[in-house]
Amino acid sequence: MEREPTMSEPTKTKYDRQLRIWGEVGQAALENASICLLNCGPTGSEALKNLVLGGIGSVTVVDGSKVEIGDLGNNFMVDKKSVGESKAKTVCAFLQELNDAVRANFVQENPDSLILTDPSFFSQFTLVVATQEHTIIDSKPDHFLDDLRLNNPWPELKRFVETIDLKTPDPIAHKHIPYVVILVKMADEWAKTHSSNLPSTREEKREFKDLVKSKMVSMDEDNYKEAVEATFKVFAPRGISKEIQDIIDDRYAEVGSNSSAFWVMVAALKEFISNEGDGEAPLEGSMPDMTSSTEHYINLQKIYHTKAEDDCLSMEQRVKDILAKVGRDPSSISKQTIKSFCKNARKLKVCRYRTIEDEFSNPSAAELQKCLASEDYSSAIGFYILLRAVDRFAATYKNFPGQFDGGDREEDASRLRAIAVSLINEMSCDGYELPEELCNEMCRFGAAELHVVAAFIGGIASQEVIKLITKQFVPMLGTFVFNGIDHNSQSLTL
């Protein structure tokens, strides 16, 4: 059974700023998570640093190498005293000092060897930063309509609206009728005089706005100005979006004994929408600020809160019934998890990723052509091709291009270009000319890792890990390429 998230006051104070972003549920998810890092170079170490500071439950570093002199210039988690010592052990000791509430473990072994000899070792972790499907409960979209149901009010809201008279002779009372009430009344009045229940054409929407304006008694009534500005909330279509419809129709919504909590709740959502919801998702229950008398606003809050609570109770019962039906503990999905799901039921996301193997063996031709045709992506696609070429170079010549001072950089550049051209042909990037300066630059830095770039990429990596663990915000799709020369970046969905 899932634990209800509980947090002590000292912990709340310690993580106050991030709690404001992803809340106690998100923080609890972090504190219950275990992360495995393969190889603790500067980028990976920086990613773990951010997660440890954020209060991740535990980290495990798998790295069989020793600290070398060169590590001192780009990894701030090692020092002179640690040269010759286990890099995994040294980095873990540093991470432990940053936050004693986090458990830092290390395995002094080459990740490649461990994957071959004991692949089940990795099943104990929440994340080893490799996934093909990710489900998000709270996607936190930048713009989203308030869930006020102005175009589809439920009986309790209708009854409350009916108790308020827009024709009240009291000017003070008239100025303090909340716009929710005004717009529900106007939508009802519109439906009585028009064949369409809601305004849909541009002309009808203009006519509806004029109808709202006509109810103003004076030009200083802020509540009516708010109502005019919020008329678009009435025009929004009823029911659920196509994206949510696609999720509830997904094959994974046919749940079984091994289904994740997300898909069990999706199955319950599908039942709810067809029954109690009458075509709608559970009500979120929150209200924006608006010009209103205190009495009206509090009464509205209670109506919205009660409806949201009732919807959540219905969802909770459906979740329990589904769990029992598939032979699982009916209480194995916590009330808090269901409550969070209900609050964000209109914002669900399912991200499906291609495997790295798929990307390497069969990159998207359409995406490649789009990138090649765009000046904005020309640099990113060039580095993408070169990074793949570098992998082949290292496999062939047993070192990275330009890695050794005594090596012939021009010869390495020539070899790298030949490999890159071969890749371009394999990827059907006909006509693409790889800029010579990019090849030279790739060889010039000789596989070095600059700390400033590692810190930046590590920060991005930890940000993406937090998105995956908390199931909040939408992670990046595709391969992220950062150009430290021009200070720009692109995500390539190849």
Side-chain angles (χ1 to χ4, degrees):
M1 176 177 175
E2 291 187 16
R3 283 196 301 117
E4 296 285 348
T6 57
M7 199 166 292
S8 64
E9 288 305 316
T11 301
K12 288 181 180 179
T13 302
K14 183 176 183 179
Y15 300 122
D16 173 67
R17 295 184 69 82
Q18 60 201 53
L19 281 167
R20 301 181 193 189
I21 300 173
W22 50 70
E24 289 194 28
V25 173
Q27 187 63 33
L30 282 179
E31 293 178 11
N32 290 325
S34 58
I35 302 298
C36 180
L37 173 69
L38 307 183
N39 292 322
C40 51
T43 303
S45 298
E46 287 290 333
L48 282 193
K49 179 195 75 175
N50 294 322
L51 293 171
V52 166
L53 289 172
I56 202 78
S58 69
V59 295
T60 298
V61 176
V62 180
D63 193 319
S65 66
K66 307 290 185 182
V67 178
E68 299 177 359
I69 293 292
D71 295 321
L72 305 182
N74 61 16
N75 193 333
F76 288 179
M77 297 176 210
V78 299
D79 55 24
K80 287 183 180 179
K81 294 182 297 183
S82 60
V83 173
E85 299 293 325
S86 162
K87 190 184 292 185
K89 181 179 179 180
T90 303
V91 168
C92 274
F94 179 91
L95 293 172
Q96 192 69 76
E97 289 179 10
L98 294 178
N99 191 342
D100 57 11
V102 175
R103 300 182 302 280
N105 312 302
F106 62 92
V107 176
Q108 297 181 59
E109 189 170 344
N110 185 298
D112 292 344
S113 301
L114 189 58
I115 290 169
L116 288 172
T117 60
D118 188 14
S120 62
F121 170 82
F122 299 99
S123 63
Q124 63 184 293
F125 301 107
T126 308
L127 203 66
V128 192
V129 198
T131 183
Q132 290 162 259
E133 179 176 294
H134 177 58
T135 53
I136 308 158
I137 292 176
D138 185 1
S139 61
K140 297 190 186 296
D142 291 334
H143 305 287
F144 212 77
L145 282 180
D146 300 311
D147 191 12
L148 298 177
R149 306 286 168 90
L150 303 181
N151 55 9
N152 193 13
W154 62 98
E156 291 78 10
L157 180 58
K158 282 183 179 179
R159 285 196 289 270
F160 174 75
V161 168
E162 288 168 0
T163 65
I164 299 173
D165 184 9
L166 294 188
K167 297 178 181 178
T168 176
D170 184 347
I172 301 299
H174 198 263
K175 287 182 180 180
H176 288 86
I177 299 172
Y179 79 72
V180 166
V181 173
I182 296 170
L183 290 177
V184 170
K185 280 185 173 289
M186 293 299 95
D188 186 55
E189 184 174 326
W190 169 277
K192 290 176 181 177
T193 56
H194 293 76
S195 56
S196 57
N197 287 331
L198 295 173
S200 57
T201 67
R202 181 178 297 181
E203 180 59 29
E204 286 178 337
K205 291 175 181 178
R206 184 194 61 76
E207 186 182 340
F208 184 82
K209 280 190 176 184
D210 291 341
L211 177 63
V212 176
K213 290 177 183 177
S214 71
K215 305 298 180 180
M216 295 179 72
V217 174
S218 62
M219 295 303 296
D220 64 342
E221 294 185 310
D222 290 337
N223 57 333
Y224 276 87
K225 292 177 184 177
E226 291 173 356
V228 172
E229 291 175 358
T231 51
F232 69 94
K233 297 178 182 180
V234 177
F235 309 151
R238 294 176 178 174
I240 59 175
S241 67
K242 182 184 182 302
E243 190 169 28
I244 299 304
Q245 185 66 53
D246 289 343
I247 291 175
I248 66 174
D249 289 342
D250 194 287
R251 62 190 178 91
Y252 280 94
E254 299 296 327
V255 298
S257 58
N258 295 321
S259 295
S260 68
F262 177 87
W263 288 111
V264 170
M265 291 186 289
V266 167
L269 175 64
K270 186 173 186 176
E271 292 182 1
F272 177 92
I273 291 171
S274 298
N275 294 280
E276 305 95 319
D278 191 25
E280 300 275 8
L283 186 75
E284 290 176 25
S286 57
M287 277 180 54
D289 193 19
M290 61 189 72
T291 302
S292 171
S293 67
T294 302
E295 181 183 3
H296 285 340
Y297 192 80
I298 290 174
N299 285 334
L300 271 176
Q301 274 189 322
K302 287 179 179 177
I303 291 168
Y304 276 87
H305 179 74
T306 300
K307 167 68 170 167
E309 286 288 309
D310 290 345
D311 286 357
C312 190
L313 286 172
S314 296
M315 276 288 292
E316 186 181 340
Q317 187 57 54
R318 290 194 173 278
V319 167
K320 287 182 176 181
D321 291 345
I322 290 170
L323 287 169
K325 186 177 178 181
V326 297
R328 287 164 59 180
D329 179 0
S331 301
S332 59
I333 300 178
S334 72
K335 291 182 179 181
Q336 185 65 33
T337 300
I338 298 171
K339 184 175 182 180
S340 175
F341 184 91
C342 290
K343 185 177 180 181
N344 296 287
R346 297 187 305 141
K347 306 169 188 174
L348 306 176
K349 294 278 185 182
V350 175
C351 298
R352 289 188 167 98
Y353 303 87
R354 302 179 75 202
T355 64
I356 294 176
E357 182 182 0
D358 285 343
E359 178 184 325
F360 271 41
S361 62
N362 187 28
S364 168
E367 184 67 21
L368 276 169
Q369 293 305 321
K370 185 185 81 172
C371 293
L372 292 171
S374 169
E375 282 190 24
D376 293 336
Y377 282 86
S378 60
S379 176
I381 200 69
F383 276 117
Y384 173 80
I385 291 168
L386 278 172
L387 287 168
R388 289 188 54 179
V390 164
D391 285 341
R392 286 195 183 180
F393 185 105
T396 303
Y397 299 106
K398 309 307 177 188
N399 63 270
F400 289 100
Q403 185 173 13
F404 302 113
D405 292 337
D408 188 332
R409 188 178 296 168
E410 288 186 6
E411 184 180 355
D412 279 2
S414 177
R415 289 171 172 173
L416 182 62
R417 173 176 285 280
I419 293 172
V421 169
S422 176
L423 262 172
I424 289 170
N425 291 333
E426 289 176 23
M427 297 163 68
S428 301
C429 299
D430 301 331
Y432 176 67
E433 289 290 334
L434 185 68
E436 186 173 348
E437 62 269 20
L438 292 188
C439 262
N440 294 335
E441 186 64 22
M442 190 64 77
C443 292
R444 186 183 69 82
F445 86 93
E449 288 186 78
L450 302 177
H451 178 262
V452 64
V453 177
F456 178 78
I457 296 296
I460 291 174
S462 60
Q463 170 185 282
E464 296 304 300
V465 167
I466 288 171
K467 290 178 183 179
L468 293 168
I469 291 172
T470 61
K471 297 187 183 294
Q472 297 182 25
F473 302 95
V474 180
M476 287 190 290
L477 290 171
T479 299
F480 178 79
V481 178
F482 171 66
N483 182 344
I485 302 170
D486 297 334
H487 303 288
N488 60 38
S489 58
Q490 278 96 20
S491 184
L492 308 175
T493 52
L494 302 174

